[in-house]
Amino acid sequence: MRERILTAIDKNSKLSASDLAIMLGSTEEEVVSTIKQMEDETIICGYPTLINWDKINCERVTALIELKVTPQRGLGFDKIAERIYQFKEVQSVYLMSGGFDLTVILEGKTMREVANFVSEKLAPMDAILSTATHFVLKKYKEHGLPLVQTKQDERMLITP
Amino acid sequence: MPPSGIRKFFDIVSEMKDAISLGVGEPDFDTPWHIREEGIYSLEKGRTIYTSNSGLKELREEISNYLSRRCSLVYNSQSEVIVTVGGSEAIDIALRAMVEPGDEVLIPTPCYVSYHPCTVLAGGTPVTIELKGENEFKLTREQLLEAITDKTKILILAYPNNPTGAIMNYDDLKEIVEVIIEKDLFVISDEIYSELTYGGNHVSIATFPGMKERTIVINGFSKSYAMTGWRLGYAAGPSLIIEQMTKIHQFAIMCAPTNSQYAGVEALKNGDTDVELMRDAYDKRRRFLLHALRNMGLECFEPFGAFYVFPCIKSLGMTSEEFATRLLSEEKVAIVPGTAFGECGEGYLRISYAYSIENLKIALERIERFVSKHRK
């Protein structure tokens, strides 16, 4: 049941518990309690909204930063990752395999703001060896959903 | 020949600009991208030529693999499979290959709109079997026996069914298989919705002992892979019949569209998970729609196949056509009256759930308002 609920709400968290119960052939009580359990266990960590900010006149810049860092004895990368993700500007932090160690996704109001953050906050940290900042020019798809255009239903109204 | 019953209703609907519809018989999903990409790639490679009449060798092999993997049916890809322009063409050429003037073809209805006219065009005599709501629109042994005469040659079987959403499981089929073999009938089994069954896998009638040699299995890519516009289907059956079908196909149309065939290879090779995802989405909508219709007090058996629900509206004292026409003018929702699929569809409606939940919700609110207004 857990997996079935999660798959159902993965792309649409607005589905009500009663609708979910009908769609999954379950009861409202079971759906509500399963969701509650998963929230408590932080399997479900939140219900954010997917917004295409480009569509409203609101300055926003997203940057992807590759970091090379020195892991700390006994703590590996976790400590430095935590020091980074505490900043509210930081949207995501991932530990990577390959040519660098951490990917940080940053959101700021302007390019200058992001640049300042990198040069004043990130780069000076002891463990950080190098940074490479890439600015996002346009977002096409996020969380499995295209942001660009929504498709019209072009089917004929009635077909056999 | 009368125009298709659905055509008449289509003409009324198309004048209604802002109507919302639960009336389509095709998936709302786009063809999965990896399949579309293979079609595009085949064009880029300049594969813009005919294929062999019976279809790309590679595609026929994949079809044969698929039928054995998913339906436990073993066919020789060289001699027992033909690729057609949609399942529709396969129905037509199967009838034309097998029917002699005067032969009777049994057509359980309500059913897809082409069986009747194609039988007539092939020179046969269509014999309607009126399926019953109380049997959940399955064909029973008794009804089959009753319809058979010494002129009966073919039974057309279409499960999972359009428009009723009914399926026939192993036990249901077993009942009629005995009659079919005893009376020495051929079967044209239209299994185009075979991937869309809920709560159990599809059973093909050709899997029963003694049936494969008398059955033409028709299937295609339209419903399972959301590929209606590609026009790609196929038939599998005894080589003698497939050979005759291939002749008609060859003179009528040469071969199925080449780029569609390349896309079809990709669909069968790597499309199983796409089908699973779509089936899962349909199943959720199916439960949702069924629940809502029953809550309105409409009698409705649980359909386990295709993407249709077939509620009964007899309690409202309206004919199917009256209901559909008034629902369209009063609430601007287009659905298809059951009578478009045969006279015994009277008192029923075909409601399609090839729509998003959001769409279904809006339409269902309007239907509910309509039903409660007209319930006396």
Side-chain angles (χ1 to χ4, degrees):
Chain A
M1 183 44 79
R2 285 186 164 201
E3 210 176 319
R4 294 180 66 216
I5 292 178
L6 291 174
T7 329
I9 62 174
D10 179 43
K11 298 268 187 309
N12 183 3
S13 61
K14 278 178 85 180
L15 287 171
S16 71
S18 61
D19 285 352
L20 274 171
I22 297 165
M23 286 158 59
L24 302 174
S26 172
T27 60
E28 197 173 335
E29 295 73 43
E30 194 190 357
V31 170
V32 170
S33 72
T34 313
I35 289 180
K36 177 76 176 56
Q37 279 168 21
M38 290 194 289
E39 287 170 351
D40 292 346
E41 293 172 37
T42 58
I43 295 169
I44 297 174
C45 305
Y47 299 89
T49 310
L50 188 58
I51 300 168
N52 186 357
W53 288 100
D54 290 350
K55 287 216 164 168
I56 63 166
N57 275 338
C58 174
E59 282 294 313
R60 255 171 191 261
V61 186
T62 307
L64 186 150
I65 300 151
E66 297 169 2
L67 296 181
K68 283 187 185 161
V69 303
T70 325
Q72 281 171 283
R73 187 169 185 159
L75 295 164
F77 293 96
D78 294 354
K79 190 71 196 162
I80 181 76
E82 189 184 337
R83 285 195 62 187
I84 294 169
Y85 75 60
Q86 298 282 2
F87 288 105
K88 68 171 179 10
E89 296 89 338
V90 172
Q91 298 297 308
S92 315
V93 178
Y94 308 124
L95 179 62
M96 310 297 292
S97 68
F100 57 97
D101 305 310
L102 294 175
T103 293
V104 174
I105 295 174
L106 265 188
E107 236 170 48
K109 283 210 163 52
T110 60
M111 254 191 212
R112 171 132 319 272
E113 196 181 298
V114 172
N116 284 344
F117 183 83
V118 174
S119 59
E120 286 164 23
K121 298 285 194 304
L122 282 183
M125 283 187 195
D126 283 343
I128 291 181
L129 302 173
S130 73
T131 67
T133 306
H134 311 275
F135 285 100
V136 172
L137 301 181
K138 185 175 179 180
K139 291 183 185 176
Y140 294 98
K141 188 177 184 182
E142 256 188 25
H143 203 88
L145 298 165
L147 297 177
V148 191
Q149 85 279 29
T150 48
K151 237 191 97 193
Q152 294 285 319
D153 190 349
E154 289 172 358
R155 293 175 293 172
M156 292 185 290
L157 286 176
I158 300 277
T159 55
Chain B
M1 186 180 298
S4 151
I6 213 160
R7 186 73 223 172
K8 185 175 140 200
F9 198 66
F10 176 78
D11 292 337
I12 307 173
V13 173
S14 54
E15 281 167 26
M16 196 75 83
K17 280 279 177 294
D18 48 349
I20 58 171
S21 173
L22 300 183
V24 303
E26 62 180 323
D28 57 321
F29 298 101
D30 292 332
T31 307
W33 178 247
H34 65 105
I35 300 174
R36 282 190 271 163
E37 210 184 20
E38 207 55 43
I40 296 167
Y41 183 63
S42 81
L43 290 176
E44 283 177 348
K45 291 270 280 187
R47 288 165 172 164
T48 52
I49 50 176
Y50 297 128
T51 69
S52 79
N53 294 129
S54 47
L56 284 174
K57 184 167 170 280
E58 198 188 352
L59 178 57
R60 277 178 290 144
E61 280 165 4
E62 284 303 330
I63 289 169
S64 162
N65 289 342
Y66 168 87
L67 287 173
S68 110
R69 177 174 86 236
R70 295 287 301 167
C71 310
S72 316
L73 289 168
V74 180
Y75 286 103
N76 181 326
S77 65
Q78 291 295 318
S79 58
E80 296 179 315
V81 175
I82 177 178
V83 178
T84 57
V85 181
S88 320
E89 189 215 340
I91 294 162
D92 181 37
I93 62 175
L95 283 164
R96 284 203 270 165
M98 292 159 77
V99 170
E100 305 275 356
D103 284 346
E104 290 182 353
V105 177
L106 301 181
I107 306 176
T109 54
C111 67
Y112 183 64
V113 295
S114 83
Y115 307 142
H116 247 90
C118 285
T119 302
V120 173
L121 286 170
T125 310
V127 175
T128 299
I129 302 178
E130 300 203 331
L131 299 177
K132 296 195 170 72
E134 64 255 37
N135 299 328
E136 302 195 342
F137 295 99
K138 295 171 192 237
L139 175 62
T140 64
R141 180 192 172 88
E142 291 70 32
Q143 282 192 295
L144 176 59
L145 271 171
E146 208 174 286
I148 294 173
T149 70
D150 49 5
K151 289 184 186 151
T152 308
K153 186 177 207 173
I154 299 169
L155 165 67
I156 299 184
L157 207 60
Y159 292 94
N161 184 264
N162 173 11
T164 63
I167 58 163
M168 281 181 74
N169 60 28
Y170 181 87
D171 294 334
D172 300 326
L173 289 171
K174 194 160 185 273
E175 289 246 307
I176 62 166
V177 161
E178 290 162 13
V179 180
I180 292 165
I181 292 175
E182 192 195 313
K183 301 286 181 182
D184 198 19
L185 306 183
F186 286 104
V187 173
I188 295 177
S189 185
D190 182 351
E191 302 179 15
I192 192 81
Y193 290 97
S194 65
E195 284 290 354
L196 302 181
T197 59
Y198 313 101
N201 281 345
H202 169 71
V203 182
S204 171
I205 194 163
T207 54
F208 286 81
M211 283 307 298
K212 197 186 145 195
E213 54 266 41
R214 58 178 73 245
T215 305
I216 296 288
V217 172
I218 290 171
N219 210 322
F221 297 78
S222 295
K223 317 294 173 172
S224 34
Y225 300 98
M227 290 178 73
T228 47
W230 298 77
R231 306 314 304 127
L232 194 63
Y234 54 88
S239 57
L240 210 67
I241 302 173
I242 294 294
E243 197 186 320
Q244 299 308 313
M245 287 169 67
T246 309
K247 281 194 222 158
I248 304 169
H249 172 77
Q250 161 185 1
F251 294 127
I253 207 147
M254 287 292 283
C255 65
T258 302
N259 62 324
S260 300
Q261 292 194 51
Y262 280 104
V265 171
E266 171 66 18
L268 293 177
K269 267 189 181 163
N270 299 314
D272 284 6
T273 48
D274 302 302
V275 177
E276 233 170 87
L277 286 175
M278 290 191 267
R279 185 192 304 122
D280 189 52
Y282 287 132
D283 194 19
K284 291 192 182 100
R285 302 160 178 191
R286 180 184 74 94
R287 291 207 184 91
F288 190 79
L289 183 56
L290 186 67
H291 181 268
L293 291 170
R294 283 178 171 170
N295 263 5
M296 288 174 208
L298 295 181
E299 192 190 313
C300 202
F301 78 94
E302 179 166 3
F304 287 102
F307 37 64
Y308 309 106
V309 176
F310 205 61
C312 177
I313 47 132
K314 288 175 183 165
S315 62
L316 291 176
M318 272 187 238
T319 66
S320 299
E321 215 173 301
E322 205 181 336
F323 187 103
T325 322
R326 289 176 71 176
L327 178 67
L328 183 64
S329 65
E330 290 174 32
E331 293 289 349
K332 302 205 162 145
V333 179
I335 49 179
V336 185
T339 42
F341 307 95
E343 277 168 33
C344 66
E346 183 56 83
Y348 295 89
L349 306 165
R350 186 192 76 172
I351 303 186
S352 163
Y353 50 87
Y355 295 92
S356 69
I357 291 278
E358 291 74 27
N359 250 311
L360 287 176
K361 269 191 179 172
I362 299 168
L364 282 164
E365 267 169 34
R366 298 190 191 185
I367 296 174
E368 185 174 16
R369 195 158 58 207
F370 180 83
V371 167
S372 55
K373 187 168 122 196
H374 293 283
R375 191 181 289 286
K376 283 157 198 129

